[in-house]
Amino acid sequence: MKKLLIVAAALCALAASHAQTAPKREMRGVWISTHLSLDWPNRTQTPAQQRAALMTLLDHNKATGVNSVFFQVRSQGDAMYQSSVEPWSYYLTGTQGRAPDPLWDPLQFAIDESRKRGLEAHAWINPYRAVSDASAANDPLKYAANHVSKLHPEWLLTIGNVKILNPGLPEVRDYVHSVVMDVVQRYDIDGLHFDDYFYQSGVIADDAAYAADPRGFPATTAGRADWRRDNVALLIERIGTSIRAAKPWVKFGISPSGIYRSDPNYPSGTPDPSLGSWTSTGAFQHYSSSFADTRLWLQSGWIDYLAPQVYWFIGQTGSDYQLLLPWWSQNTQGRHIYIGLADYKLNTSGWTAPSPDNQIARQIKLNRGTPNIGGQIHFRQAFLVSNLLGYRTELMNNSYKKPALLPTMPWKRSGVPSIPLSLSATRNANDSVSLAWSRPIDVADEFEKVRRYAVYRSEHAPIDLEDPANLLGLTNADETVFTDASVAAGAYYHYVVTGLNRLHDESPASAAASNDTTPPEVRTQAITRTLAGGEVEISAIDVDAGSTDNWGIASLSLSKHVFSCADAGVNQVLLRATDKAGLASAATAQVTVLGGASPPAVAISHSSQVVTGFPANTVTLGVGTQTLTLTATDSVPGAASSFAWTPAPGLTGINGATAQFAPTAPGSYTYQVRATNSQGCSADATVTVVAVDKRRGR
């Protein structure tokens, strides 16, 4: 027990550290209960009034930060939609089976209006409950002649004051399957949702059903319990398989009670999570009390998510939220777990802490700090509206202030939506920013089709799409415009847009746009640099003279930054400034490069004093011993060059700047000398000398 409490305390600390960090992806759902008209509708209202009331609720959810609604369309074998299988709900018109006048379809309306607000629409169905109040089973207003309880009374089990369809009958499974698939096939729902009404607690008189179809389960207490769990499992497996075959994008999930099984070692033994959660063994356990083996459903992949109704407060004796949460975290089986939250308990014993630290806010923090918990669903709509202890205000101002995408479901067939095109940003007079983009080419594949868009904003580029702080908003549907009304005067941002399919798989980001439309002002200055080692390098900073931008300069670059000896003298370069928005300007700058080499001068001196009458660059063969000394010097004073003669026939005695011309044969000879100055620059000069042959016999 001590070890488990330490783990729970660590989870609390982790959650607290994430108190202000909303995740990028999170289920934020709310149940809208139509049973007993708990949330909606008022059966005394006209259809127009009922529609207006439903739109008000959906507007309320949108403003709260909710992203999914679970709309109850079948609570006791009835229909909150136009059905050829079951009668219209009593709670819609005041008489079960009577159509609304004028005719309208609440489910279709809820889907359409939810989509307009960017909300996922899940059809919430109670699979087994047929009569919620057995004492009123013969009330013709509440139960029509074509209600399943009238057409097939042999299908019913009476447990306490409730009549349910007998899960042990194959024909009941066929019937429930037909109802569910009628909804799935005819309506464009995002999800099909079952609540926690399976077998009910009490005496279950199902001996005849067992005798007719025992399927090898022994007639023992344990065997009958396993048989009942298998009855429910058969339905869950069949419906999950059928939904995947018909519309594989439709999510199928179930919200059982919050405790699967209790660890029998509680409260004084050693916790064993494999046996159950650390909760009172007297608590309601849906594995044994409702015969719902939810772990099997997850392990088998029949459902996409489980939303256990963890309706206890943090620190509650016997069933402690902070001990139940990690148990569910360890049992996701690769699917999603969303936690059902008991909003309805606020301001009751244990739930009286005021906002912003009310129980719901604290539980959301724990959810976010716990691995494998993908969000929460609030029970229920009326309590969000009543705003007990200001908890809805806290959601709006803190927990749900930032938008959130829905968690992805990679076990379904994932798709990569196409990238939005041609994003532009226009700054308005009131500093708001209007974004507009073009739809990508439409595709028929439901998993690749763009259904809506996510808009990101950041002061830094490239924008990190995984940082939830950068998620600015979501479009409601596939509209291609968005207004950022939260821009302060003088604030500038980068924006990108991504496409989302109906499962919230995300495309890569569009090209970025910005609300900055003013390019930089580029200022330059002239500079002088001296070559060293034959080159000199400059930077953009060297020629920048205080370039400025309204948002900030991201980079400076030069058209040329390395200069060689060939560039000696005055050069023009282009300084280019790019600001944070990607806008660029350029201006020229003058760069004077010093140190270029000049060809050397070459002096010629004659070794002989004999007057031959020939020019000074001429050697006369046969007239004594004659050589020429060639001496290279700098033509520019102070160059301090080193010299190198190119070896060639007739050239001897090469020593730095000097060389000797001592030919053995007549002819004209041209020699090259290279001067390399102290800056590493070289220049060549040539000299031509002549040998004339005056030897006898020649």
Side-chain angles (χ1 to χ4, degrees):
M1 177 61 179
K2 181 178 180 181
K3 184 183 295 184
L4 197 62
L5 288 175
I6 291 173
V7 171
L11 283 170
C12 286
L14 178 62
S17 69
H18 290 78
Q20 303 302 320
T21 304
K24 174 182 172 178
R25 294 183 180 272
E26 182 177 52
M27 165 58 74
R28 300 174 181 175
V30 60
W31 281 292
I32 301 179
S33 178
T34 62
H35 183 57
L36 305 177
S37 296
L38 291 173
D39 295 319
W40 183 90
N42 182 338
R43 60 184 177 274
T44 67
Q45 291 181 332
T46 66
Q49 291 171 326
Q50 290 174 336
R51 288 192 293 271
L54 184 53
M55 286 192 290
T56 297
L57 294 183
L58 296 175
D59 286 338
H60 185 273
N61 292 333
K62 175 71 173 178
T64 302
V66 164
N67 57 23
S68 301
V69 294
F70 295 79
F71 182 62
Q72 190 173 28
V73 298
R74 181 181 190 263
S75 65
Q76 51 172 354
D78 53 1
M80 198 63 70
Y81 58 96
Q82 192 164 6
S83 171
S84 61
V85 182
E86 296 189 307
W88 284 99
S89 173
Y90 162 79
Y91 303 112
L92 183 66
T93 65
T95 301
Q96 191 179 77
R98 187 175 74 189
D101 184 19
L103 184 65
W104 72 294
D105 189 321
L107 174 54
Q108 186 60 57
F109 185 80
I111 294 169
D112 294 341
E113 293 300 317
S114 293
R115 294 269 162 72
K116 291 177 184 178
R117 294 159 177 81
L119 305 173
E120 277 204 342
H122 296 247
W124 166 15
I125 284 177
N126 184 293
Y128 292 123
R129 185 171 57 196
V131 177
S132 61
D133 181 3
S135 65
N138 295 319
D139 185 340
L141 295 179
K142 294 184 176 180
Y143 300 100
N146 63 335
H147 185 255
V148 65
S149 65
K150 304 297 184 184
L151 297 176
H152 294 286
E154 73 280 9
W155 289 0
L156 301 183
L157 289 175
T158 300
I159 305 175
N161 196 39
V162 176
K163 293 179 181 290
I164 69 168
L165 295 171
N166 187 344
L169 298 177
E171 50 267 44
V172 163
R173 294 193 289 272
D174 291 343
Y175 179 73
V176 174
H177 178 268
S178 70
V179 170
V180 169
M181 294 312 298
D182 176 57
V183 171
V184 170
Q185 290 168 335
R186 290 197 298 119
Y187 293 91
D188 186 25
I189 56 175
D190 294 299
L192 193 285
H193 180 80
F194 279 0
D195 58 23
D196 57 331
Y197 275 84
F198 300 105
Y199 280 97
Q200 297 300 288
S201 297
V203 177
I204 304 174
D206 58 356
D207 290 350
Y210 170 76
D213 185 29
R215 298 191 305 280
F217 289 94
T220 62
T221 299
R224 288 289 292 273
D226 288 339
W227 174 77
R228 287 172 182 153
R229 278 185 284 271
D230 190 57
N231 291 333
V232 179
L234 289 171
L235 177 67
I236 302 303
E237 178 184 15
R238 183 177 177 187
I239 287 177
T241 300
S242 296
I243 290 175
R244 287 191 298 275
K247 292 183 178 179
W249 55 86
V250 172
K251 303 171 184 179
F252 178 37
I254 297 172
S255 58
S257 62
I259 299 173
Y260 174 73
R261 298 176 82 175
S262 294
D263 186 338
N265 297 314
Y266 180 89
S268 57
T270 300
D272 186 349
S274 67
L275 299 178
S277 55
W278 195 250
T279 46
S280 170
T281 53
F284 185 91
Q285 305 164 51
H286 59 251
Y287 178 85
S288 55
S289 297
S290 294
F291 302 100
D293 190 352
T294 56
R295 287 182 74 186
L296 172 66
W297 307 345
L298 290 168
Q299 290 168 344
S300 302
W302 299 335
I303 60 177
D304 296 307
Y305 69 87
L306 207 66
Q309 300 169 26
V310 187
Y311 291 171
W312 297 276
F313 61 81
I314 296 170
Q316 183 165 336
T317 302
S319 299
D320 187 341
Y321 188 94
Q322 64 188 336
L323 297 183
L324 279 164
L325 190 65
W327 188 89
W328 282 112
S329 168
Q330 297 166 20
N331 286 277
T332 61
Q333 310 297 330
R335 292 295 193 254
H336 287 174
I337 294 290
Y338 312 133
I339 302 299
L341 298 180
D343 301 34
Y344 72 97
K345 287 189 174 181
L346 283 167
N347 212 27
T348 64
S349 179
W351 297 75
T352 57
S355 294
D357 294 320
N358 63 73
Q359 272 290 319
I360 296 300
R362 291 176 62 197
Q363 290 177 7
I364 290 173
K365 291 173 187 177
L366 278 176
N367 293 350
R368 290 173 175 174
T370 303
N372 304 322
I373 302 300
Q376 49 280 326
I377 307 175
H378 297 268
F379 188 78
R380 55 189 165 75
Q381 180 74 61
F383 296 95
L384 267 181
V385 173
S386 65
N387 197 20
L388 295 167
L389 299 175
Y391 89 102
R392 187 245 180 181
T393 302
E394 189 283 330
L395 293 176
M396 294 175 63
N397 294 338
N398 184 20
S399 295
Y400 291 171
K401 184 175 183 179
K402 290 284 292 182
L405 280 67
L406 272 299
T408 59
M409 293 184 169
W411 55 89
K412 291 183 173 290
R413 209 204 87 194
S414 297
V416 179
S418 301
I419 303 173
L421 306 172
S422 307
L423 176 64
S424 64
T426 302
R427 190 175 191 118
N428 303 317
N430 62 353
D431 291 316
S432 67
V433 177
S434 296
L435 301 174
W437 58 91
S438 298
R439 291 183 178 88
I441 297 174
D442 199 13
V443 295
D445 191 320
E446 195 67 34
F447 290 91
E448 297 181 1
K449 186 181 298 183
V450 174
R451 303 272 296 197
R452 60 193 303 203
Y453 300 91
V455 180
Y456 294 85
R457 183 185 82 176
S458 176
E459 295 181 2
H460 308 287
I463 297 178
D464 181 0
L465 300 187
E466 296 309 309
D467 184 349
N470 293 334
L471 179 60
L472 177 62
L474 301 168
T475 62
N476 292 329
D478 65 345
E479 59 263 35
T480 57
V481 293
F482 183 91
T483 298
D484 179 8
S486 62
V487 181
Y492 298 96
Y493 297 102
H494 302 282
Y495 295 90
V496 297
V497 176
T498 62
L500 304 171
N501 67 6
R502 65 185 308 150
L503 288 174
H504 278 221
D505 295 316
E506 192 168 17
S507 78
S510 68
S514 172
N515 60 329
D516 178 14
T517 58
T518 304
E521 180 182 345
V522 181
R523 301 169 184 165
T524 64
Q525 61 184 356
I527 62 171
T528 299
R529 294 292 184 270
T530 301
L531 294 163
E535 68 176 28
V536 65
E537 184 173 359
I538 66 172
S539 69
I541 298 299
D542 294 331
V543 299
D544 179 52
S547 300
T548 61
D549 183 74
N550 57 310
W551 187 6
I553 292 177
S555 65
L556 292 169
S557 62
L558 285 172
S559 58
K560 183 174 183 176
H561 64 93
V562 177
F563 299 85
S564 67
C565 298
D567 299 309
V570 177
N571 300 266
Q572 299 292 327
V573 297
L574 200 66
L575 175 64
R576 180 183 179 87
T578 304
D579 68 10
K580 291 182 179 180
L583 303 172
S585 299
T588 59
Q590 180 176 295
V591 179
T592 300
V593 177
L594 303 178
S598 297
V602 179
I604 301 174
S605 62
H606 210 293
S607 63
S608 174
Q609 300 300 317
V610 178
V611 177
T612 64
F614 288 103
N617 69 334
T618 303
V619 172
T620 306
L621 300 177
V623 182
T625 302
Q626 295 189 34
T627 61
L628 299 180
T629 299
L630 309 180
T631 303
T633 60
D634 282 318
S635 58
V636 177
S641 298
S642 60
F643 301 94
W645 289 90
T646 301
L651 198 65
T652 63
I654 297 174
N655 183 17
T658 63
Q660 306 297 318
F661 175 61
T664 59
S668 177
Y669 298 83
T670 299
Y671 298 111
Q672 178 176 291
V673 62
R674 172 164 293 176
T676 302
N677 65 19
S678 58
Q679 287 80 42
C681 296
S682 299
D684 298 331
T686 59
V687 60
T688 301
V689 292
V690 178
V692 178
D693 195 349
K694 293 295 184 178
R695 289 172 294 183
R696 293 180 181 181
R698 295 287 182 123

